[in-house]
Amino acid sequence: MKFIILSLVTLFLGFVCQNVHGWGIDGHAAICAIAQSRLSEAANEQVKKLLPRFAEGDLSSVCSWADRVRFRYHWSAPLHYINVPDSSCDFQYSRDCKDENGVKDRCVVGAINNYTAQLLTYKEGHSHQYNFTEALLFLSHYMGDVHQPLHVGHTTDRGANTIDVHWYTRKTVLHHVWDNSIIETEEERSYDTQLAGLIDALEHNITKEWADQVPEWESCTRDTTTCPNIYAAESIRAACDIAYNGVDEDSTLGDDYFESRVPTTNIRMAQAGVRLGATLNNIFG
């Protein structure tokens, strides 16, 4: 399914809109930084050519663009998430990948498939019906979204957007805790509020602690370019087992929740970065 193509003027103007969702700015930036560091020379060259000029070759600097335009361009809103039946902890594409009006393929997995397919038709110097810069930015962002457990959450609570909690003393919703609060708290406590420190730690763990898992993260069944069905299935399992687990309406979430959940946010960001890098290498390699 082909989604609406925006102009590069819109691409630039999108940065004036301050709505932030998904992993939040830092989470998405970390994912794209990890991905770009893993690109082959050929793939990195093509990515830099497709990035808007003001990005100065840095994919992470525009990794939240899709969030910044989602409420101005309502057609893109359903492409950030999947709603799974409340009784389920598994993902089924035919059942779950649809928007609130029941239109098929309009979910984050469908979006990843769509923009991957668009980029696979890219040939430098040839005119085409697609805006490949936007396809790159959408794909990079949605690869992050599908790894956030509550972006593949339950229907009734809208991915925990209606579950009110306190993060320590601050009132918020459980979805926001996973988008932002856990990452921000980790940065404050471990990295002097610096994103660079978090990125360095994730990249270190990718090459050391998780090195034996990385080939499995990168691989896809049947040698496909990317396999977001797998990523979505992992997220709903993590949502059920970890994100939702033990949380009730008006719960106060503090050190116990933070310390037991931050390993999951870290490995999901790392997986997203590794898989985005592998997907871009497959596309442009």
Side-chain angles (χ1 to χ4, degrees):
M1 184 174 186
K2 299 178 179 62
F3 304 129
I4 296 171
I5 303 298
L6 307 180
S7 69
L8 283 177
V9 173
T10 299
L11 180 68
F12 176 78
L13 292 177
F15 280 92
V16 305
C17 179
Q18 296 303 309
N19 293 304
V20 177
H21 305 273
W23 280 109
I25 291 175
D26 282 5
H28 279 291
I31 289 164
C32 282
I34 291 167
Q36 192 164 19
S37 74
R38 300 179 65 81
L39 294 182
S40 68
E41 183 176 349
N44 197 36
E45 181 180 349
Q46 294 302 321
V47 165
K48 288 182 175 181
K49 287 180 179 179
L50 286 177
L51 287 173
R53 185 173 300 175
F54 54 83
E56 298 182 341
D58 180 9
L59 180 61
S60 69
S61 70
V62 287
C63 211
S64 290
W65 170 79
D67 273 338
R68 298 173 189 248
V69 298
R70 64 179 291 186
F71 289 112
R72 182 172 301 192
Y73 302 97
H74 297 284
W75 60 268
S76 71
L79 308 183
H80 292 255
Y81 62 87
I82 300 164
N83 285 330
V84 172
D86 293 3
S87 60
S88 179
C89 289
D90 71 312
F91 168 69
Q92 299 177 27
Y93 188 95
S94 60
R95 179 193 69 190
D96 303 327
C97 191
K98 60 183 183 296
D99 65 17
E100 292 182 351
N101 296 316
V103 179
K104 295 291 187 179
D105 303 317
R106 290 186 52 77
C107 77
V108 67
V109 168
I112 290 170
N113 288 333
N114 175 65
Y115 290 114
T116 298
Q118 288 189 22
L119 288 168
L120 282 168
T121 70
Y122 172 70
K123 297 294 181 183
E124 186 184 356
H126 294 266
S127 61
H128 205 284
Q129 61 179 312
Y130 301 127
N131 184 319
F132 293 111
T133 294
E134 292 178 5
L136 171 64
L137 299 193
F138 277 125
L139 174 62
S140 299
H141 184 87
Y142 294 144
M143 189 69 79
D145 279 351
V146 77
H147 283 83
Q148 205 274 59
L150 292 176
H151 273 249
V152 191
H154 287 147
T155 301
T156 300
D157 59 46
R158 303 176 69 86
N161 272 295
T162 66
I163 299 178
D164 292 324
V165 298
H166 281 83
W167 183 249
Y168 294 89
T169 60
R170 179 176 297 178
K171 187 172 183 180
T172 184
V173 295
L174 183 60
H175 188 100
H176 183 83
V177 168
W178 282 80
D179 276 352
N180 294 282
S181 303
I182 295 175
I183 295 172
E184 291 170 356
T185 300
E186 181 181 17
E187 287 176 337
E188 291 169 4
R189 293 186 177 184
S190 301
Y191 307 110
D192 194 27
T193 71
Q194 298 299 309
L195 173 60
L198 175 60
I199 294 171
D200 287 346
L202 292 174
E203 290 183 327
H204 174 82
N205 284 340
I206 288 168
T207 59
K208 301 296 183 182
E209 182 178 348
W210 303 320
D212 60 338
Q213 301 176 54
V214 168
E216 182 180 353
W217 296 353
E218 292 179 315
S219 65
C220 280
T221 57
R222 298 182 299 278
D223 296 322
T224 52
T225 304
T226 192
C227 40
N229 283 36
I230 293 173
Y231 317 152
E234 292 170 348
S235 280
I236 184 57
R237 288 196 296 269
C240 288
D241 296 343
I242 300 169
Y244 284 117
N245 192 19
V247 180
D248 299 312
E249 182 74 11
D250 294 323
S251 290
T252 296
L253 308 179
D255 285 344
D256 288 347
Y257 192 89
F258 168 72
E259 291 169 5
S260 59
R261 270 62 173 187
V262 71
T264 299
T265 64
N266 287 342
I267 202 165
R268 292 305 279 165
M269 285 190 289
Q271 288 173 322
V274 167
R275 286 162 167 170
L276 174 58
T279 298
L280 295 175
N281 281 331
N282 289 339
I283 291 169
F284 297 118

